[in-house]
Amino acid sequence: MMKDKFSQELYSIRLAYNIGVFSKEYARNKFALLYARTFGGASGIYREMALCDFEECFRD
């Protein structure tokens, strides 16, 4: 269940960015909040994504 909600939120942020609703900086912040809320701000997954500036989130 958590994965489905996470995937849906990830998709909706990416879609909003791709159609121009969100700026790249705003989308990056939304990705950061989503990852922190889902995995925890101190998790390895969050740290790895933060080091890559969440660029992976922008790709399908």
Side-chain angles (χ1 to χ4, degrees), residues 14-54:
R14 188 180 296 134
L15 178 64
Y17 168 73
N18 286 335
I19 63 173
V21 175
F22 292 168
S23 69
K24 189 163 190 170
E25 186 64 29
Y26 187 76
R28 186 176 286 123
N29 289 335
K30 297 282 280 179
F31 288 135
L33 288 171
L34 175 61
Y35 270 77
R37 193 172 62 242
T38 304
F39 300 107
S43 71
I45 292 171
Y46 179 85
R47 284 194 304 266
E48 185 175 329
M49 293 301 289
L51 285 174
C52 295
D53 211 11
F54 296 92

Side-chain angles (χ1 to χ4, degrees), residues 6 10 14 27 31-32 35 49 54-60:
F6 173 78
L10 191 66
R14 188 180 296 134
F31 288 135
Y35 270 77
M49 293 301 289
F54 296 92
E55 283 300 317
E56 215 174 286
C57 295
F58 291 98
R59 296 188 289 265
D60 287 332

